[in-house]
Amino acid sequence: MNPELWPTVDESTLENSVRLIYINRKKAVMMYFKRVSLEEIKQETGIVRQNVRRFIKRCMQYDQTGEVWGFRALIPQKNVNEYQLDVFNRNQKNGRKTGEFNRFLDRYPDIKDLLEDLFLGRKRRSLEPVMKVKYIHKRFIEECRKKGVTQADYPLNTEWMGYKAVQRYLRRISYEDFCRSTKRFGDDASQKARHVGEGQQNQISNLFPFQKVQFDAHRIDGFFAVELTTPEGDTVTRILRRFWILTIIDVATRNILGYSISLNQEYSASDVMHCARNAVIPHKQLELTIPGLTYHPVGGFPSEKFPEIAWSVWDIICLDNAKSHYAQMVKDRLENLIGCFMNLGPVALPMRRGIIERFFKTLEENGFHRLPNTTGSEPKDPRRKDPEQQAIQLNITYEHLKQLIDVLISNYNGTPHGGIYHQTPLELLEKRMKVSGLTPRLLEEEKRSEILFMQTIQKRTVRGSLKSGKKPYIQYEGVPYRSDQLANAAYLLNTELLLHVNVDDLRTLKAYLPDGSEFGYLTASGRWSLTAHSLQTRKSINSLVKNKVLHLTTWDDPIFVYTNYLMSQKKSKKMVNKQVRVNEESTYKPDNPPAEQTKALEEASFQNELLDKAREDQINRDKLNEMENYERMLKQFKTKM
């Protein structure tokens, strides 16, 4: 064993008398390992050979953690062995009970196991979730009596009946089994104990911009007003309830790359991809209408400030274990489109994504909690003062919220940050790129499409029948999809097509043959092709129709009928968020949509116009026929008179 590798002692902390003894002992041990004779060691240090061997033996013992004691064992009065009671020692004082408890547990290992199980909550020894020490001691005494321990025996012959010894023993267990012991203080403490402070460090060196990003969502603590139109054409003011802001932050530079707002009660997979899309697509500033609200010149988003890194993507994204993060669309788009790895951290452990959690706290304290319409961080928060009424009276609208978030995040990127030595995130990003030459990876040209971020892949079988004369079509989420090309492709009946579905706009689907070759766009039948709507809205409408809450005719636009239904639910507070979301979907217009898709929608719109005109002509003919019949009957009646 090499003493050069032993744990050392800070000699300056020892008292003078103790330090001299320690130095002399250390000198003797080192001389022994240098092959100096024991006689020379005695002459040099005054330590006899028996003590030299005893000191070396102490140094080579292991402590409770399994590490060699080393030079620490040479400190005077240092205990390196646990005290063991010697019952045969005649000098043992009768009144002293030191070591009796450990000796008792050695005699009764069942009682020792009981104490540990009750304290750590193991083996269901008790129905009590967290048993206090005094109740553990009570069970301890009961078990002692079951084992035949009398009042004349230890521990029943002591004043506290071993209570203090039990207390000390349980405290020692809590120190030795830290992770299990933290369960006594709740799930949060247990989670932290299991996942924080051990193993590899969570934040290894992150120098490269966009090397690692963190994603998370946060509820906005505030109510906002929104104006909606009733089915009768009147304008009413309603309140949007608490909703979500989703953001992606670069770990290396602390820049917020992008964000999105979700009006859903729980954010979905499509909301996650909206945020990812906004973080990659070059950002554009909003037109501000709030008096006095401005973008700071030094702020902005990375894609705005540095056009050369527009369409930058990341290598690793850290997320929590929310259900939406496991969606197939999220996995597929992150891995196959962006080309990154997903790091799904432990459940309910936000400290693994501490950077973005800290950003949300800054956003709340510097932003939403300062507004008069804030709900505060809890119902009893003193900042919460009738937020609904404040939102209506002061006309704090949803449009204001979108402008406020955009400005707050833009300005955040231009504000000095303590975590990066009081540089601004944008400054640090510029240094990493231009000084260190660390530029992020860019998304390939052929993948730079807004639609691709919201795309999921499904398989559907071509339906139809030669016998009944029903032309080929496919069914997706309760709606038939057709095209002229598919109608004339009877050879595809009962063939499974691959569908690329844009979950933001279900008016069209792009179909591929089983061998992967492109087939073309299919258009939703009837009025489903008129108004843009998401997969979530389609499912909501189908559910209401199935439960006979909504009734759709051939001539109804399902989205308008659904919107009118939401407006009629005046008592439901959640409906307001849904209607605003549907209104935003209906105005969805992607940048540079494919020409084939635009053509398919235009043809569907034209066909619907022809149907409307034919219907109107038929109604006019029916009215004209009714008038002619009425006049004929009236003329006959006058003739008979």
Side-chain angles (χ1 to χ4, degrees):
M1 183 174 287
N2 186 0
E4 298 291 341
L5 304 177
W6 284 355
T8 58
V9 174
D10 184 0
E11 299 174 5
S12 62
T13 61
L14 303 177
E15 296 182 2
N16 290 335
S17 57
V18 175
R19 183 168 62 251
L20 293 175
I21 296 175
Y22 167 78
I23 293 174
N24 199 41
R25 290 178 176 179
K26 181 180 178 181
K27 183 178 180 181
V29 171
M30 292 300 295
M31 290 176 68
Y32 179 85
F33 277 98
K34 291 178 181 179
R35 306 290 185 178
V36 178
S37 66
L38 293 174
E39 189 63 32
E40 291 182 27
I41 294 176
K42 179 181 177 182
Q43 294 177 359
E44 183 74 21
T45 64
I47 299 176
V48 297
R49 65 176 62 198
Q50 294 88 346
N51 285 340
V52 172
R53 292 193 177 100
R54 183 171 62 87
F55 290 149
I56 292 174
K57 185 178 179 180
R58 282 170 60 92
C59 291
M60 297 176 69
Q61 288 180 291
Y62 292 93
D63 62 13
Q64 298 88 340
T65 64
E67 186 176 7
V68 68
W69 272 105
F71 293 115
R72 297 175 295 168
L74 300 179
I75 300 175
Q77 308 301 321
K78 184 74 173 179
N79 292 324
V80 297
N81 294 315
E82 186 177 352
Y83 176 78
Q84 297 289 336
L85 178 64
D86 184 4
V87 295
F88 300 104
N89 187 357
R90 296 182 179 181
N91 297 325
Q92 180 73 29
K93 296 181 180 179
N94 293 331
R96 188 178 181 184
K97 303 298 180 182
T98 304
E100 283 280 6
F101 186 76
N102 291 334
R103 180 168 172 268
F104 177 81
L105 294 183
D106 290 339
R107 288 178 57 195
Y108 299 101
D110 293 345
I111 296 179
K112 180 180 180 181
D113 292 340
L114 175 67
L115 290 176
E116 294 179 359
D117 292 343
L118 292 176
F119 183 74
L120 298 175
R122 298 185 310 199
K123 300 180 182 178
R124 299 186 178 274
R125 293 291 192 107
S126 171
L127 295 177
E128 192 172 347
V130 180
M131 183 174 281
K132 293 184 177 180
V133 176
K134 63 178 180 180
Y135 299 121
I136 295 177
H137 177 255
K138 185 177 179 180
R139 287 285 300 274
F140 168 73
I141 297 301
E142 292 174 357
E143 197 67 20
C144 288
R145 287 171 176 158
K146 289 180 183 179
K147 295 292 184 182
V149 179
T150 66
Q151 292 295 123
D153 300 325
Y154 182 89
L156 303 186
N157 62 354
T158 63
E159 182 180 0
W160 293 87
M161 303 181 75
Y163 178 79
K164 294 293 184 181
V166 169
Q167 191 178 46
R168 286 192 297 268
Y169 180 70
L170 296 179
R171 186 185 300 116
R172 188 175 69 184
I173 291 176
S174 67
Y175 295 153
E176 293 176 352
D177 200 341
F178 184 84
C179 290
R180 284 184 177 272
S181 300
T182 53
K183 288 185 178 180
R184 298 176 56 84
F185 301 94
D187 292 338
D188 184 54
S190 179
Q191 285 273 19
K192 292 178 181 178
R194 290 200 308 270
H195 298 288
V196 179
E198 293 184 2
Q200 294 181 352
Q201 290 299 309
N202 209 23
Q203 297 299 332
I204 59 176
S205 178
N206 290 292
L207 296 176
F208 284 84
F210 293 69
Q211 176 186 1
K212 180 191 290 186
V213 300
Q214 293 181 0
F215 167 88
D216 208 349
H218 181 75
R219 280 197 180 275
I220 296 175
D221 299 331
F223 292 149
F224 292 83
V226 63
E227 289 188 348
L228 300 175
T229 303
T230 66
E232 294 78 19
D234 302 321
T235 301
V236 295
T237 301
R238 294 285 185 85
I239 290 296
L240 281 171
R241 303 286 151 178
R242 293 173 61 184
F243 32 89
W244 298 90
I245 175 173
L246 298 81
T247 57
I248 292 178
I249 189 171
D250 177 34
V251 173
T253 65
R254 304 300 198 269
N255 274 285
I256 301 297
L257 307 182
Y259 71 93
S260 66
I261 300 174
S262 171
L263 298 176
N264 296 317
Q265 185 177 2
E266 294 295 335
Y267 68 91
S268 63
S270 60
D271 294 321
V272 176
M273 290 314 302
H274 283 154
C275 183
R277 179 190 65 189
N278 296 341
V280 176
I281 294 177
H283 184 269
K284 297 178 182 178
Q285 289 187 350
L286 302 179
E287 184 178 347
L288 304 180
T289 60
I290 302 175
L293 184 65
T294 58
Y295 290 100
H296 291 172
V298 295
F301 285 77
S303 57
E304 285 177 343
K305 290 292 184 178
F306 310 108
E308 64 272 21
I309 62 168
W311 297 95
S312 292
V313 290
W314 48 87
D315 298 325
I316 301 172
I317 183 168
C318 301
L319 314 96
D320 61 18
N321 276 262
K323 187 182 296 184
S324 58
H325 303 161
Y326 286 93
Q328 184 59 40
M329 182 180 74
V330 174
K331 291 182 178 180
D332 175 68
R333 295 295 83 190
L334 289 178
E335 293 176 2
N336 297 326
L337 178 64
I338 294 178
C340 69
F341 294 98
M342 297 175 64
N343 183 350
L344 294 164
V347 178
L349 207 64
M351 65 284 300
R352 288 288 187 181
R353 297 170 305 283
I355 293 175
I356 198 165
E357 293 290 345
R358 184 63 183 87
F359 161 73
F360 283 136
K361 183 178 180 180
T362 301
L363 189 66
E364 289 288 7
E365 295 301 325
N366 295 342
F368 303 120
H369 284 174
R370 298 175 61 190
L371 299 176
N373 60 325
T374 182
T375 58
S377 55
E378 59 178 351
K380 295 183 180 180
D381 195 315
R383 292 171 291 195
R384 183 186 182 119
K385 297 179 180 179
D386 199 1
E388 295 186 37
Q389 194 64 27
Q390 294 284 356
I392 295 174
Q393 287 182 353
L394 300 175
N395 194 31
I396 306 176
T397 66
Y398 177 54
E399 292 299 321
H400 292 161
L401 167 69
K402 292 191 285 187
Q403 295 176 31
L404 184 62
I405 289 178
D406 201 69
V407 170
L408 284 173
I409 293 179
S410 177
N411 294 347
Y412 172 88
N413 287 340
T415 303
H417 195 294
I420 50 177
Y421 306 101
H422 300 284
Q423 304 171 92
T424 71
L426 289 172
E427 284 177 352
L428 181 57
L429 176 58
E430 185 176 19
K431 288 180 182 178
R432 294 282 168 86
M433 290 194 305
K434 296 184 178 180
V435 178
S436 303
L438 305 177
T439 56
R441 177 170 58 92
L442 301 182
L443 189 66
E444 294 88 338
E445 288 281 351
E446 62 273 14
K447 295 182 178 180
R448 296 182 184 183
S449 170
E450 181 181 347
I451 296 175
L452 291 179
F453 285 89
M454 308 310 301
Q455 181 176 284
T456 184
I457 299 176
Q458 300 290 331
K459 292 181 179 180
R460 291 295 185 273
T461 302
V462 178
R463 303 299 181 189
S465 172
L466 290 170
K467 185 176 180 180
S468 65
K470 196 167 188 178
K471 291 185 177 182
Y473 69 98
I474 64 105
Q475 191 89 359
Y476 180 74
E477 291 297 333
V479 176
Y481 283 78
R482 295 184 171 89
S483 72
D484 292 339
Q485 185 180 2
L486 181 62
N488 297 314
Y491 66 92
L492 290 177
L493 288 174
N494 299 320
T495 301
E496 197 173 55
L497 297 184
L498 203 65
L499 303 176
H500 287 191
V501 182
N502 177 8
V503 296
D504 274 353
D505 186 3
L506 295 189
R507 292 178 295 174
T508 61
L509 306 175
K510 192 171 186 180
Y512 290 81
L513 297 177
D515 63 359
S517 57
E518 181 179 330
F519 184 76
Y521 281 91
L522 309 180
T523 309
S525 298
R527 304 288 167 153
W528 285 101
S529 63
L530 289 179
T531 308
H533 58 284
S534 68
L535 177 61
Q536 185 177 1
T537 298
R538 170 79 65 84
K539 288 182 176 181
S540 299
I541 295 174
N542 287 342
S543 176
L544 293 172
V545 171
K546 182 179 179 180
N547 295 324
K548 299 182 179 180
V549 177
L550 281 186
H551 302 278
L552 302 177
T553 69
T554 308
W555 306 100
D556 290 330
D557 185 332
I559 312 307
F560 288 168
V561 175
Y562 181 52
T563 303
N564 291 340
Y565 164 77
L566 294 177
M567 280 300 301
S568 66
Q569 306 300 306
K570 298 179 181 179
K571 295 183 180 180
S572 178
K573 297 178 180 179
K574 298 177 183 178
M575 294 299 181
V576 181
N577 286 40
K578 290 184 179 181
Q579 175 149 8
V580 174
R581 176 174 55 80
V582 174
N583 290 345
E584 289 187 334
E585 292 173 4
S586 63
T587 59
Y588 171 75
K589 291 182 180 179
D591 295 335
N592 302 320
E596 295 176 3
Q597 181 188 28
T598 303
K599 183 180 178 181
L601 289 173
E602 289 175 350
E603 290 179 356
S605 178
F606 178 71
Q607 291 295 331
N608 280 306
E609 289 176 3
L610 290 180
L611 290 174
D612 286 339
K613 186 177 181 181
R615 182 191 182 205
E616 186 177 351
D617 292 342
Q618 183 63 43
I619 292 173
N620 291 334
R621 282 195 297 269
D622 291 342
K623 288 182 179 180
L624 183 60
N625 290 337
E626 288 179 6
M627 290 296 296
E628 289 176 352
N629 291 336
Y630 174 75
E631 290 177 357
R632 189 181 304 111
M633 291 175 61
L634 184 62
K635 187 176 182 180
Q636 292 175 358
F637 177 75
K638 288 181 178 180
T639 303
K640 290 180 180 181
M641 290 294 292

